[in-house]
Amino acid sequence: METNEKKQVVLSAIQPTGTPTLGNYLGALKNWKNMADDYECYYAVADLHSITVRPEPAQLRRKTLEMYAFLLAIGLDPEKNTVFVQSHVSAHAQLGWILNCYTQFGEAARMTQFKDKSEKHPENVNVGLFAYPMLMAADILLYQANYVPIGVDQKQHLEITRNIADRFNGLYGETFTLPEPFIGKTGAKIMSLQEPTKKMSKSDTNVKAFISVLDDTDTIVHKIKSAVTDSEARVHYAQGKDGVNNLMTIYSCCTGKDFAEIEKEFDGKGYGDFKAAVAQAVVAELAPVRDEFNRLIADKSYLNACMEAGAQKAARVANRTLRKAMKRVGFYQL
C-alpha cells in the first residue's frame, strides 16, 4: 500500500572555508547521504556566513564551487536532495534581518562563539559576527526544518533558533517549526591526532593533527603513523588513553566494528599493527570521495547546472515561508 505520508525535513549547512577534515566527514557528513531515504533534506553551502572573516573574493568563489562539488562527491544526489548555495536564495538574508528584530541584544551577546571569535580576532569584531546566529536561525526556519544535524558545540545556536521561533509564533501565531537537534551517535567527535584532548580542526597550525578528506594515500598513512598514543602499547578503550581512544573511534566509524571487536582484533598486537589497519581503513573510506570530487570539479558546467536547479528548488520553499513571515509582521505586499 502506498503512503503519502510527508517526510520530516532536515537542514544542514557547511561553510566553504576549506576542505573538510576526517572529523567533519565521520562526525556529520558521512551520515548526510543516508538521510535522504527517510527525510526531505536541504543541504547548503553557507557562503553568507563565511564573509565575517573577509575572505579574498576569488578564493571565496573557488572554495564555494569546491565545497558544492564535495557535497555531491560524498553521495548527496541532487535529484533526491536539495543541494544549493546559500547566497543564491535571497530569502536567507531577508529573513535574517527580520529575525534580528525579534532577538534580544543580551540573548545574542551570550553566544559563546561570538565571545570566542571576538577574542581571537579583536581587529575585526563586526556586526555580522554578532548577527551570525540570527542568519543561522533563518537558514533553518525558512525550510520548516524538523531536525538539524549538529555537533555538540552548536547546541547553543539551535537553542537561540528555537527561542526566536517560539517568540515569533507567540506574537503572530504558528509561523515556524521548532527544530530539534539530530546528533549522530557514532563518531560525534573526532579528536586531533597530535593533541587528542582537542577536536580535529582544519585550521590547526600542525598539519599532522588533522586529515583532510582529499589527502592522498601516502599523506593519510604518514599522519596516522605519527598520531599520538601512549606507552602502554595495548589497544583498548579506557580513560586517560585519549590518543588510542581517538584512533579506535576512527577505526570504528570506518569499519562498523564496535570497541569490543577492535580490542579482540588487536589483542596481543602493538600500536604499529593497529595504526597500519586504521590508516588502511581511512584510505578505503576516503578514496572514493576523493576520486568523485576530482571528476566533478573538472565539470564546471554540470556543477553550475546543479547549483541553479538546487537554488530554484530551495527558493520555492524558502520564499513561501518568507512571504508568510512578512505578512504576519505587517509588510505591505503586492
Side-chain angles (χ1 to χ4, degrees):
M1 192 177 77
E2 269 190 48
T3 174
N4 291 326
E5 196 181 329
K6 201 165 175 278
K7 285 182 178 179
Q8 290 197 299
V9 177
V10 167
L11 175 122
S12 202
I14 186 167
Q15 284 194 50
T17 50
T19 309
T21 66
L22 178 70
N24 303 133
Y25 179 70
L26 295 180
L29 301 171
K30 186 183 175 182
N31 300 324
W32 287 10
K33 67 176 177 184
N34 302 328
M35 296 173 81
D37 294 333
D38 301 318
Y39 301 95
E40 180 74 31
C41 297
Y42 294 85
Y43 295 120
V45 177
D47 55 340
L48 292 175
H49 285 288
S50 64
I51 66 166
T52 58
V53 293
R54 290 188 207 148
E56 201 269 311
Q59 194 181 41
L60 177 60
R61 276 190 288 275
R62 179 176 60 79
K63 286 187 171 180
T64 300
L65 185 71
E66 286 177 356
M67 184 56 75
Y68 191 86
F70 178 78
L71 291 181
L72 300 192
I74 63 172
L76 300 186
D77 182 347
E79 298 292 322
K80 277 181 160 185
N81 306 279
T82 304
V83 189
F84 65 102
V85 175
Q86 185 190 25
S87 66
H88 294 170
V89 182
S90 58
H92 287 256
Q94 286 177 271
L95 186 62
W97 168 251
I98 293 171
L99 299 184
N100 280 337
C101 301
Y102 290 85
T103 308
Q104 298 308 299
F105 185 86
E107 234 177 346
R110 282 195 295 275
M111 292 284 108
T112 52
Q113 194 183 42
F114 174 69
K115 291 177 191 169
D116 293 347
K117 292 205 171 175
S118 303
E119 282 168 20
K120 275 185 193 166
H121 304 282
E123 76 293 344
N124 184 22
V125 185
N126 56 68
V127 174
L129 194 62
F130 188 75
Y132 187 106
M134 284 63 86
L135 179 58
M136 191 184 264
D139 300 337
I140 297 164
L141 300 176
L142 277 170
Y143 302 95
Q144 305 292 354
N146 303 100
Y147 296 106
V148 185
I150 56 165
V152 181
D153 53 344
Q154 288 177 308
K155 280 179 88 171
Q156 201 184 22
H157 281 153
L158 195 63
E159 279 162 19
I160 198 172
T161 300
R162 287 174 60 88
N163 292 346
I164 297 165
D166 201 34
R167 182 177 297 129
F168 195 97
N169 290 348
L171 288 165
Y172 301 112
E174 286 302 310
T175 309
F176 301 120
T177 300
L178 264 59
E180 300 281 348
F182 187 103
I183 301 173
K185 289 179 177 63
T186 322
K189 213 169 189 184
I190 302 296
M191 312 307 278
S192 159
L193 296 175
Q194 294 297 314
E195 290 179 75
T197 52
K198 268 174 40 181
K199 194 175 172 185
M200 186 179 281
S201 166
K202 60 178 172 263
S203 57
D204 202 310
T205 49
N206 183 352
V207 292
K208 284 185 178 180
F210 64 91
I211 290 171
S212 156
V213 173
L214 301 177
D215 276 347
D216 61 38
T217 297
D218 290 347
T219 305
I220 292 169
V221 171
H222 179 65
K223 286 180 179 180
I224 298 279
K225 273 186 180 173
S226 309
V228 168
T229 48
D230 53 49
S231 58
E232 195 189 6
R234 182 172 156 237
V235 179
H236 72 115
Y237 198 94
Q239 202 170 352
K241 288 176 70 72
D242 300 312
V244 174
N245 295 348
N246 189 38
L247 290 175
M248 286 179 74
T249 303
I250 292 169
Y251 192 60
S252 171
C253 290
C254 293
T255 62
K257 295 175 182 177
D258 63 27
F259 292 148
E261 287 175 273
I262 296 167
E263 285 176 11
K264 195 175 172 186
E265 184 183 347
F266 295 99
D267 186 28
K269 293 180 184 176
Y271 290 156
D273 289 337
F274 177 51
K275 284 181 174 180
V278 175
Q280 204 177 357
V282 172
V283 167
E285 182 74 48
L286 298 183
V289 176
R290 189 178 65 234
D291 293 347
E292 182 64 359
F293 173 84
N294 290 336
R295 188 186 72 77
L296 287 164
I297 205 68
D299 193 349
K300 194 176 172 184
S301 59
Y302 172 73
L303 290 173
N304 284 347
C306 288
M307 270 188 197
E308 200 169 332
Q312 285 172 2
K313 270 168 80 178
R316 275 197 295 275
V317 177
N319 289 337
R320 199 159 56 230
T321 300
L322 178 66
R323 281 194 299 272
K324 190 177 179 183
M326 290 179 78
K327 189 177 179 183
R328 295 272 162 94
V329 169
F331 288 111
Y332 187 91
Q333 293 180 304
L334 296 170

